[in-house]
Amino acid sequence: MSEGENLQTRNRVISLAVYAIVLALVQWLVVATGFTPNENAIWLYSGFASLLFGSRLLNPHFTPPADAATNGFVALAAIIAGSLVVPAGTADAALLWTVAAFSGLVSVLSVFVLIVRIPLGTETRPWVRILDRAVRGLGSPTVIFTVVILACAWLFHRPRTDEVLAILTAWATIVVIHPVEALLDFYDWAAAQWKTTLHADVVGPIAAYQSPDIVLVRQHGDTGIERGTPLLVADNNGPWMLGVALNYVGRDEGNLLRVLTARLPETLKKRIGKLPALKGGGIALRLNAAAGDLDDVPAIQWIGRLCGVIVSDTNLDYALFEVTEDRDISEGRLIEARIGEHRVIFQIIEGLTREDIVQQKNTYGYARAKARKIGRWNADAGKFEPVKWLPRMNAPVFLLEAEGQQQPATAIGHFPGTGYGVGLNISEAVTYNTAILGILGIGKSYLSVELIERMIAGGIKVICLDLTNQYATLLAGFVDEAHEAAQRAALVAAGQGGTPHQNQEQGGSHQAFRARVTEQLRTFVAPSSPHVLRILNPAQFEVTRQAGGMFQGNANMATLTPTEITAIISDAALTVCQELGMIDGGRVCLVYEEAHSLVPEWNSVVAEGDKAATARSARAILQGRKYGLGCLLITQRTANVTKTILNQCNTVFAMRTFDDTGKEFLANYIGSDYARILPSLESRHAVVFGKASSCENPVLVRLNDRQAFLDAFRPLHPLPALLVHEPANASAEEPSEPDDEIPF
């Protein structure tokens, strides 16, 4: 509560006490029956008591329908009690029952309004609005109890002229004159005159207005004005404004101080004394405000976080702002600015220096930052929602701090420097396919391991095609090692040998291998299967195909490449998913680790047969969505992965990359601005965009650390209970990725 509101409440309480004492003296000294509870005391106990408490404490400004109903009922009860001494059939009885009917009608109509009006939003029915306005007016303490008091004065006190005069005088004093309130208000005003909130310290004249809300002050003297200093900006041609010192912006016949202006609080304006003579465009003066005077001014309360002001060329997607305070400013940090009534979040993606000419050869150098709009934070939904407009010119920009924001377990990371998490719909990440792209040593594999754990927790079976052999270690807690070894041995046996055949397509071991893979995946994908993860290395299987026609019972045999074995597994996954029928969510995810070797682009294949094999894998991914089949593709060589699959990845984690081909491809997803920052991304950072992301626009995210993820996720989603071996120790030394890649 502000200081002004505190004073008003105090004055109402004091006036109530004074009036109550006066009324008690009138009843005791003037009314013949004193405080005896009879018809001669109704005016005091009911009328004035309710009038004082209602108008001074409960409803000092307006009367809601609920209080109007209460006032009407209390007045009705009081007036009916007086009917015991009023002869029936007389004019007095008619008056009494008229007042009773009025009180009862107000009470009933008030209850009716409470029942029929809408609970939220704006009432649009005219008849409801008319009734609501009527009961608020007629049911106010001043109106309804004035009727009761005047009726009581006529009915019960008219034989005694002195009593009627005393009652009417008291009524007029309280309802019309308000002497106690007037005296208290005068006292408060007089006391405020001894307080000065304005030093006679002129900072300087106003040099320029940068509409809206910014003025430049040409400072006199050599005393520096600290950032956040409150000022009074006074002008004969407009309302006085509260100013907040921002920064110096050069020199023009004196130092130019930029000042952000805001509405001057009324309580403060009333206490400002006479100003020096205003010349020209006005002046700025230091303002020495008392504690609490500036509590309602956001620019003052948030000055520690104020980092700039919105400048020209801001559009619906990006905010451009001039940096007035570069402390803690960095790429990826979140800032906020108001758009209408909403606090909208932006993410800094670029900065550059600018220079403006101030006067003649004097220049002013400054930094300008570019930030991508993220949206308005919805705490209930735990995500950002779009706001389809732009901040106004010169709007203040604040660096966002969210230290107390609890990151949900569904978050795959958070915005740098804040606790705002970015969530992922894991089912859509599978069915609409996901890609993790970036160079070695930035943590791609551990991000993919986290996504795999989330898939398993979401009831999605995972088939991991891993040439590096590291997933068996990282995901050991999800694999029954004995069962996996037996399954692998069966596949190895199926791939061995292979006999020639008159039909070249039937020769070799690839048909038997394909049949065994399909059989195993059919069992694995079945809902009744307790197993959730298969890890296969296509390079570990030696599978043959007939390379030519038969001659004297023999034929040349060729060994399938990892790309061709990948195609067999992809085909088999599609087949078993089709057998289970269509589904809206994710059912099976194929993980292509080192995807540039498993599903290469046509110009990057190592064998001619890899082109057709990649096409078969791509066909499986293209057709698999309606059956719950999708893929997670991981690679550090974007240019060498088939674009047929990559273009189907509707969710992308873009990590640090240098090659132009990769940046050009990603620019189509995340925009050229985010693509430009990819070479400078830190480890464990990624630009995330796509259907599965909780943010509609691309965002730069600090990904989860492994241990932090396990601490938040594993208590909610423990390892499968059917696996009898001990899970891998998460705190043990983590293996490095191949080719010297260092995860995290």
Side-chain angles (χ1 to χ4, degrees), residues 563-564 600-605 607-616:
T563 300
E564 291 173 314
E601 185 61 293
W602 64 271
N603 57 358
S604 300
V605 298
E608 191 63 27
D610 286 355
K611 294 181 180 179
T614 297
R616 292 201 306 274

Side-chain angles (χ1 to χ4, degrees), residues 11 14 27 186 188 233 319 370 424 461-462 506 591 627 636 650 724:
N11 291 349
I14 293 175
Q27 179 71 17
F186 177 79
D188 292 336
V233 178
K370 184 176 184 180
L424 196 73
K461 302 292 183 78
V462 179
Q506 301 295 321
V591 179
Y627 303 104
Q636 66 265 23
N650 283 333
V724 297

Side-chain angles (χ1 to χ4, degrees), residues 368-382:
R368 174 177 286 190
K370 184 176 184 180
R372 179 72 179 260
K373 185 197 294 181
I374 304 301
R376 177 174 63 92
W377 178 253
N378 185 326
D380 295 332

Side-chain angles (χ1 to χ4, degrees), residues 103-389:
S103 302
L105 181 63
V106 169
S107 183
V108 170
L109 288 179
S110 299
V111 172
F112 180 71
V113 168
L114 290 173
I115 294 173
V116 300
R117 71 179 182 180
I118 62 175
L120 297 173
T122 302
E123 178 60 67
T124 58
R125 292 170 291 179
W127 64 274
V128 177
R129 295 173 63 183
I130 291 172
L131 282 180
D132 182 79
R133 181 65 177 269
V135 299
R136 288 174 184 269
L138 297 177
S140 68
T142 300
V143 172
I144 201 164
F145 292 112
T146 292
V147 173
V148 173
I149 290 168
L150 295 179
C152 288
W154 173 258
L155 293 173
F156 309 122
H157 299 275
R158 69 175 182 268
R160 292 284 303 271
T161 305
D162 57 338
E163 292 183 10
V164 173
L165 181 61
I167 291 172
L168 294 182
T169 301
W171 167 81
T173 301
I174 295 174
V175 175
V176 181
I177 302 176
H178 307 297
V180 176
E181 292 92 334
L183 287 173
L184 291 173
D185 288 342
F186 177 79
Y187 170 80
D188 292 336
W189 176 85
Q193 304 312 303
W194 298 99
K195 303 176 185 177
T196 176
T197 60
L198 179 67
H199 291 298
D201 185 4
V202 177
V203 176
I206 297 175
Y209 292 87
Q210 298 179 342
S211 181
D213 300 340
I214 293 288
V215 298
L216 297 183
V217 177
R218 185 179 292 112
Q219 183 184 347
H220 291 161
D222 56 359
T223 302
I225 305 296
E226 294 185 2
R227 181 170 177 265
T229 300
L231 306 173
L232 174 66
V233 178
D235 187 346
N236 282 331
N237 299 319
W240 293 354
M241 302 293 290
L242 175 69
V244 183
L246 293 184
N247 63 328
Y248 289 98
V249 295
R251 186 173 180 83
D252 174 18
E253 299 178 1
N255 292 325
L256 289 178
L257 175 67
R258 175 157 48 195
V259 177
L260 175 68
T261 61
R263 178 187 60 82
L264 184 66
E266 289 298 324
T267 55
L268 186 61
K269 185 176 180 180
K270 293 178 180 178
R271 302 207 305 270
I272 294 177
K274 185 177 180 181
L275 297 181
L278 302 182
K279 298 179 180 179
I283 59 174
L285 306 96
R286 290 178 185 267
L287 190 63
N288 182 23
D293 284 338
L294 304 178
D295 287 346
D296 297 331
V297 182
I300 292 289
Q301 302 306 312
W302 301 346
I303 190 64
R305 299 193 293 114
L306 195 148
C307 60
V309 292
I310 296 292
V311 297
S312 59
D313 297 328
T314 291
N315 58 36
L316 294 174
D317 296 320
Y318 297 96
L320 295 177
F321 67 96
E322 182 177 336
V323 178
T324 61
E325 175 60 50
D326 58 6
R327 183 183 58 192
D328 297 329
I329 287 276
S330 63
E331 182 181 81
R333 285 297 301 268
L334 297 186
I335 55 100
E336 63 178 342
R338 280 199 172 272
I339 298 180
E341 297 299 320
H342 301 301
R343 293 168 53 186
V344 181
I345 310 300
F346 298 78
Q347 185 171 43
I348 298 174
I349 59 173
E350 189 177 2
L352 67 157
T353 57
R354 296 288 297 270
E355 185 178 71
D356 285 343
I357 296 177
V358 179
Q359 184 190 42
Q360 297 177 353
K361 295 183 179 180
N362 295 330
T363 60
Y364 163 55
Y366 59 92
R368 174 177 286 190
K370 184 176 184 180
R372 179 72 179 260
K373 185 197 294 181
I374 304 301
R376 177 174 63 92
W377 178 253
N378 185 326
D380 295 332
K383 67 177 185 178
F384 289 94
E385 296 179 342
V387 177
K388 299 180 180 180
W389 195 235

Side-chain angles (χ1 to χ4, degrees), residues 678-696:
L678 292 178
S680 61
L681 283 185
E682 301 177 51
S683 296
R684 305 298 306 135
H685 286 70
V687 177
V688 183
F689 176 65
K691 187 174 181 62
S693 171
S694 62
C695 298
E696 291 196 357

Side-chain angles (χ1 to χ4, degrees), residues 32-55:
T33 56
F35 292 116
T36 302
N38 55 24
E39 68 277 6
N40 290 329
I42 291 178
W43 76 277
L44 176 68
Y45 294 134
S46 176
F48 271 112
S50 299
L51 173 60
L52 287 177
F53 278 91
S55 62

